[in-house]
């Protein structure tokens, strides 16, 4: 399970359901990363990509993202989140148990993703597929570390519009300027007072 596998799956869905028409591709967070990877791998297949709260594109942004989460969490919650993440990424436990750990970890850290700490209560999270999650994450981390994720952005020919909240723990300063530099046809909107999932906020900018 690598990003290329997800791109192939997405391409199969697009070919099956659009019947030759170019779709509008919308992705949030990890979905934004996948949308950008798809646009880079399959230029000309979509009408436009809209990316919201794009995940980190390089190691510097990823590290600042992690530091922001740690800074926003109360100390005890930070320790709890760190322990849950370590247990999830270990090789111990059944898939169901590790999936439950993942959801518990999300329930802790998501409290600081938006300005309204209870906004994620309206978002239904499902148990992850452990093998896919771990292998995809490893490939994503590898692409960031090698610079491939950023280099591939230059292959995007289709228009990209990016929305990013200024309260998003993934720093907009590490996302929007980089996309503007690498993607030819690019527009952006910085959402004032909004976090990672702006449509769940009470009053997004």
């Amino acid at each position: 399970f690598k990003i290329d596998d997800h791109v192939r799956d997405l391409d199969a869905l697009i070919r099956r359901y659009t019947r030759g028409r170019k779709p509008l591709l919308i992705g949030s967070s990890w979905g934004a990363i996948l949308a950008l990877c798809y646009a880079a791998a399959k230029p000309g297949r979509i009408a436009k990509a809209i990316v919201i709260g794009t995940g980190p594109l390089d190691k510097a942004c990823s590290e600042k993202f992690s530091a922001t989460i740690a800074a926003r969490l109360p100390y005890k919650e930070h320790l709890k989140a760190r322990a849950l993440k370590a247990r999830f990424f270990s090789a111990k436990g059944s898939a169901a148990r590790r999936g439950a750990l993942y959801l518990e970890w999300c329930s802790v850290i998501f409290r600081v993703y938006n300005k309204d700490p209870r906004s994620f209560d309206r978002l239904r999270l499902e148990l992850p597929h452990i093998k896919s999650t771990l292998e995809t994450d490893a490939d994503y981390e590898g692409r960031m570390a090698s610079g491939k994720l950023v280099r591939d952005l230059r292959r995007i020919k289709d228009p990209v519009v990016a929305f990013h909240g200024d309260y998003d723990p993934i720093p907009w300063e590490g996302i929007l300027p980089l996309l503007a530099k690498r993607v030819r046809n690019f527009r952006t909107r910085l959402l004032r007072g909004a976090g990672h999932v702006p449509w769940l906020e009470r009053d997004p900018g």
Side-chain angles (χ1 to χ4, degrees):
F1 291 97
K2 295 187 176 183
I3 290 177
D4 288 344
D5 297 307
H6 295 292
V7 166
R8 280 193 291 270
D9 287 345
L10 180 56
D11 191 48
L13 287 171
I14 287 174
R15 287 176 177 276
R16 178 176 179 180
Y17 291 107
T18 60
R19 298 177 182 177
R21 294 173 297 172
K22 292 185 177 183
L24 183 65
L25 190 60
I26 305 173
S28 168
S29 193
W30 153 246
I33 294 293
L34 180 56
L36 292 171
C37 289
Y38 183 86
K42 307 291 182 181
R45 296 272 178 90
I46 60 173
K48 182 186 297 182
I50 296 177
V51 292
I52 307 163
T54 303
L57 296 166
D58 58 26
K59 293 300 290 184
C61 185
S62 180
E63 289 169 1
K64 189 171 182 181
F65 170 38
S66 298
T68 300
I69 294 294
R72 289 180 183 177
L73 282 172
Y75 185 63
K76 288 185 178 179
E77 293 294 285
H78 168 65
L79 293 179
K80 181 179 179 181
R82 190 167 65 178
L84 288 168
K85 183 178 180 180
R87 289 165 64 190
F88 169 72
F89 280 100
S90 74
K92 299 177 182 178
S94 66
R97 175 57 184 155
R98 293 173 77 189
L101 288 170
Y102 177 83
L103 293 185
E104 189 177 356
W105 172 51
C106 289
S107 72
V108 174
I109 64 173
F110 282 176
R111 295 285 174 180
V112 297
Y113 272 53
N114 281 358
K115 278 200 167 182
D116 177 5
R118 299 194 63 83
S119 59
F120 275 85
D121 292 345
R122 302 195 296 275
L123 189 66
R124 184 187 174 196
L125 299 174
E126 297 182 354
L127 287 173
H129 185 283
I130 300 299
K131 180 178 173 62
S132 175
T133 299
L134 293 174
E135 292 184 357
T136 302
D137 185 72
D139 186 43
Y140 173 39
E141 292 284 343
R143 287 182 181 223
M144 278 198 297
S146 69
K148 177 175 173 55
L149 200 60
V150 170
R151 288 196 303 272
D152 285 353
L153 294 174
R154 291 200 181 276
R155 297 166 56 190
I156 297 176
K157 297 180 180 179
D158 306 303
V160 174
V161 180
F163 293 84
H164 211 95
D166 68 351
Y167 187 77
D168 195 326
I170 303 171
W172 67 266
E173 301 94 335
I175 299 295
L176 300 184
L178 195 155
L179 287 174
K181 183 179 179 180
R182 296 278 175 165
V183 180
R184 300 171 200 171
N185 192 345
F186 178 75
R187 289 188 296 136
T188 183
R189 181 179 174 187
L190 183 63
L191 302 176
R192 300 292 179 182
H196 188 58
V197 187
W199 63 89
L200 295 179
E201 297 270 23
R202 292 180 181 179
D203 187 25

